[in-house]
Amino acid sequence: MRYNPLGKTGLFVSELCLGAMTFGGKGFWEAIGKLGNQEAETLVGTALDAGVNFIDTADVYSEGESERLVGAALKSLARPRELIVVATKVRGRVGPGVNQVGLSRAHILSSIDGSLKRLGLDHVDLYQIHGFDPATPIEETVRALDDVVRSGKARYVGFSNLPAWLASKAITFAEENGLARFQSAQVYYSIAGRDIEREIAPLCQAEGVAILPWSPLAGGLLSGKFDPDKKGPADARRASFDFPPVNMERLPRVLAALRKVSEATNVSVARVALAWQLTRPFVTSIIIGAKKKEQLVDNLAAVDVKLSAEHVKLLDEASALPSEYPGWMVEFQNARDPRGVGKMPTEAEIRAAMDRVK
């Protein structure tokens, strides 16, 4: 297991993070997983024993039950608190009240107390906003998060599921006003869904923000259990919860490439998908979830898979995003020179640039 810095903090997290969305199984979340105390403790212990030092949950997962189970597992396992990085999130609805949702100061300050109580901790290491709240100015959210950090209830803050423009606005506002700024971005990313490479990943690289991909196996589609032309196992998460959305036209060639590399390396399709993601320079820690110990063990073994340059190229090409504006224009304008200046491009250079953006 390798460890990477969390943004600009000096805090290091394992390259794999245990996601606790399968813990609890209450309400809407039952389709994703319904692990109880013993199963949750087994997964947490297995991950920690493998070198994982990072656990992620959220106040909305199983209506708070996921946080409680994470806290109970940590207490039962009795590992030193300073060795474990605990992250949770705020934004979703946690009650029937009109203000029991969103990213207002009122909801954030109330929610951090609720999360800490359920976790049985006096602080979390990373407190993340769980998405966009159109009712609350981002400036109010950033100031409230800064208050949470200054109170000692969270060490650092991050965001999840924001558009790049809004994340950039929040980071700029925080830095201009001496407030705690986002150190991490928890975003959907998989070899079947590389959308963040357009805007979010470049932003995070430029600003020194850690990228924490969620659903790296695309809700189980990349587990090796599914084919484009047939359904997977009835008890698989994707069978009852078709999320996140995946471009089904590109999926067959992605799966074909994964299977080819899987056969060549003699490891599971899921491990290949995770190993490919670990080759991305902007990825800090991949969030992996599991229902069973054997599934978790297989995913954890992805850190030992070394993909050849040929295999990475095969996977890159099979999963490449189609060009979109302004990306294709940037590439065309800079085809002649990395700085966009110098001699005029030759006809061959222009044709090559146009071929790449088709």
Side-chain angles (χ1 to χ4, degrees):
M1 187 70 65
R2 291 172 291 271
Y3 301 86
N4 299 314
L6 185 77
K8 296 182 177 180
T9 68
L11 181 73
F12 281 71
V13 294
S14 50
E15 60 188 334
L16 296 181
C17 169
L18 178 64
M21 195 165 64
T22 58
F23 295 6
K26 292 184 66 176
F28 164 84
W29 306 93
E30 184 177 1
I32 297 171
K34 45 186 177 182
L35 304 185
N37 280 285
Q38 188 56 57
E39 297 98 327
E41 183 179 325
T42 296
L43 293 188
V44 171
T46 299
L48 296 178
D49 289 343
V52 170
N53 75 338
F54 194 11
I55 301 174
D56 176 78
T57 184
D59 57 6
V60 292
Y61 293 167
S62 290
E63 302 173 6
E65 187 68 3
S66 174
E67 287 181 324
R68 189 193 69 77
L69 289 168
V70 168
L74 293 176
K75 182 178 180 180
S76 179
L77 293 166
R79 307 296 174 89
R81 173 66 180 92
E82 63 271 19
L83 299 184
I84 303 171
V85 177
V86 178
T88 193
K89 299 183 281 292
V90 58
R91 188 220 169 274
R93 178 165 293 284
V94 295
V98 66
N99 291 313
Q100 289 184 291
V101 64
L103 295 172
S104 67
R105 172 183 297 278
H107 186 60
I108 287 174
L109 297 184
S110 172
S111 292
I112 184 62
D113 289 339
S115 288
L116 293 179
K117 182 177 180 180
R118 287 186 291 273
L119 286 163
L121 302 175
D122 62 3
H123 75 277
V124 291
D125 300 280
L126 179 63
Y127 199 45
Q128 306 154 103
I129 61 171
H130 209 165
F132 173 53
D133 176 11
T136 305
I138 194 65
E139 295 83 359
E140 174 171 342
T141 297
V142 171
R143 288 192 183 280
L145 292 173
D146 181 71
D147 286 344
V148 173
V149 172
R150 291 180 186 276
S151 71
K153 295 177 182 179
R155 298 290 189 252
Y156 307 105
V157 295
F159 73 87
S160 179
N161 306 320
L162 290 188
W165 70 266
L166 187 57
S168 179
K169 181 179 180 181
I171 291 169
T172 299
F173 177 76
E175 291 181 338
E176 288 180 345
N177 291 277
L179 306 173
R181 52 97 84 177
F182 292 142
Q183 298 292 350
S184 65
Q186 187 174 145
V187 289
Y188 168 58
Y189 184 56
S190 77
I191 195 172
R194 297 172 57 180
D195 305 66
I196 68 165
E197 294 178 13
R198 300 193 191 283
E199 299 290 344
I200 295 175
L203 166 68
C204 290
Q205 286 183 293
E207 297 294 342
V209 174
I211 289 184
L212 315 175
W214 59 262
S215 202
L217 299 180
L221 273 181
L222 308 178
S223 64
K225 301 175 182 177
F226 289 84
D227 282 311
D229 56 350
K230 64 180 181 181
K231 293 183 178 180
D235 62 345
R237 167 182 152 188
R238 193 89 196 192
S240 57
F241 184 51
D242 191 20
F243 187 85
V246 169
N247 185 309
M248 301 305 287
E249 291 184 5
R250 294 204 305 269
L251 183 62
R253 66 174 181 266
V254 172
L255 290 177
L258 286 170
R259 288 198 173 88
K260 185 173 182 178
V261 177
S262 171
E263 292 168 2
T265 55
N266 197 33
V267 300
S268 70
V269 168
R271 258 192 268 178
V272 172
L274 294 172
W276 172 86
Q277 200 165 119
L278 289 171
T279 68
R280 307 297 93 177
F282 48 79
V283 167
T284 297
S285 183
I286 302 171
I287 301 171
I288 57 173
K291 293 181 181 180
K292 300 175 182 179
K293 180 179 178 179
E294 53 268 32
Q295 177 190 356
L296 178 61
V297 169
D298 182 77
N299 289 351
L300 290 169
V303 300
D304 298 319
V305 177
K306 307 299 180 186
L307 299 177
S308 68
E310 180 183 355
H311 287 154
V312 172
K313 183 174 183 290
L314 172 68
L315 295 169
D316 284 350
E317 292 176 349
S319 61
L321 292 171
S323 293
E324 288 186 354
Y325 181 83
W328 56 259
M329 190 62 177
V330 171
E331 183 170 357
F332 173 71
Q333 288 178 322
N334 289 277
R336 59 185 176 179
D337 186 289
R339 295 175 60 197
V341 297
K343 63 182 179 63
M344 290 297 293
T346 66
E347 182 179 354
E349 288 172 331
I350 292 176
R351 289 185 181 279
M354 292 303 293
D355 287 342
R356 285 195 295 271
V357 302
K358 285 180 180 177

